Amino acid sequence: MKKGIIAIVVVVLLGIIAYSFFKGFYNTAITLKEDAVAQWGNVESSYQRRSDLIPNIVNTAKGYAEFEQKTLTDVIEARSKATGVTIDPTNISPEQLAQFQQAQSGVSSALSRLLVTVERYPDLKANENFKELINELERTENRINVERNRYNEAIAPYNKHIKTFPNNVINNFIGNFEEMGYFKADEGAQNAPEVNFDFDKKDAA
């Protein structure tokens, strides 16, 4: 009789320990994931700000009839492709994030080409509205970089939590949590083009 009671007590204790362990893993994973999802919202907001600036930049440049139309078209098309790539913030896989980043890199490249082209148009460079738009673009690009870095910092604890032993065993058993993707530096990022121009610099004769 005593052995039976002891066995029941042991089973109950093991059950309580297992429940507490599973509960601790699950609740921590949820908390860390929610932190990462919230930070993703800041990333999206920064990219949206850049997307909102583009029509104003393009329309201002369009006011100069001789301005290269293909350059403007490339920016508009890149923006359209980027806004067409959406991500479920609760399921940001490395593959999804790579697709998103590739689309946004297309916008960066198109904007860089536009800003290089602007160098040939001193009247456009001197336009106060255009200068302010470009300054705002620079501030937005800086904010994008900050929020991307913060996002990577936010998902690191979550990814470590679900991948380290014994949590990975539990996660494989319940199958609830997937690794979230990191932002990676764009190819050639060490030679990233400068988006802030010295509009007061005299053009070469």
Side-chain angles (χ1 to χ4, degrees):
M1 185 66 179
K2 287 185 178 180
K3 289 183 178 180
I5 295 175
I6 292 174
I8 292 173
V9 171
V10 170
V11 170
V12 170
L13 287 175
L14 289 175
I16 293 173
I17 293 172
Y19 171 77
S20 299
F21 199 75
F22 272 82
K23 179 182 177 182
F25 164 78
Y26 186 88
N27 288 346
T28 301
I30 287 292
T31 299
L32 293 174
K33 187 172 184 178
E34 285 302 312
D35 289 344
V37 168
Q39 180 55 37
W40 174 254
N42 294 334
V43 173
E44 283 194 318
S45 177
S46 298
Y47 275 115
Q48 183 62 52
R49 175 58 184 158
R50 181 173 74 170
S51 181
D52 292 343
L53 280 170
I54 288 174
N56 292 330
I57 292 172
V58 169
N59 288 335
T60 303
K62 275 183 179 179
Y64 294 77
E66 75 279 14
F67 194 86
E68 283 90 335
Q69 294 304 306
K70 184 180 184 306
T71 304
L72 299 178
T73 300
D74 288 345
V75 173
I76 294 170
E77 290 180 351
R79 176 183 182 271
S80 178
K81 289 179 181 178
T83 55
V85 177
T86 58
I87 288 183
D88 176 3
T90 63
N91 183 32
I92 306 176
S93 68
E95 294 76 18
Q96 283 183 321
L97 194 57
Q99 183 184 17
F100 177 88
Q101 188 170 352
Q102 183 179 21
Q104 294 295 343
S105 294
V107 177
S108 298
S109 297
L111 282 171
S112 297
R113 292 192 296 272
L114 182 147
L115 294 174
V116 168
T117 305
V118 166
E119 286 290 296
R120 305 179 201 141
Y121 298 87
D123 289 343
L124 177 57
K125 286 170 58 177
N127 181 289
E128 289 299 324
N129 183 48
F130 190 78
K131 287 165 66 174
E132 180 53 36
L133 286 170
I134 297 306
N135 287 336
E136 183 61 31
L137 176 63
E138 181 190 19
R139 291 191 289 268
T140 300
E141 293 286 358
N142 290 337
R143 174 52 56 184
I144 287 172
N145 186 55
V146 168
E147 298 300 350
R148 281 172 39 144
N149 289 339
R150 288 177 177 172
Y151 168 76
N152 280 351
E153 292 171 0
I155 67 172
Y158 166 79
N159 282 345
K160 289 177 183 177
H161 179 71
I162 65 172
K163 292 169 68 176
T164 53
F165 181 83
N167 291 350
N168 59 333
V169 177
I170 300 172
N171 193 42
N172 288 336
F173 178 74
I174 63 178
N176 272 27
F177 301 99
E178 299 290 338
E179 179 182 2
M180 299 179 75
Y182 288 94
F183 272 108
K184 298 179 181 178
D186 297 329
E187 186 175 352
Q190 68 275 16
N191 300 315
E194 179 62 60
V195 298
N196 185 30
F197 288 90
D198 182 3
F199 289 100
D200 296 324
K201 185 178 72 175
K202 299 297 183 182
D203 291 327

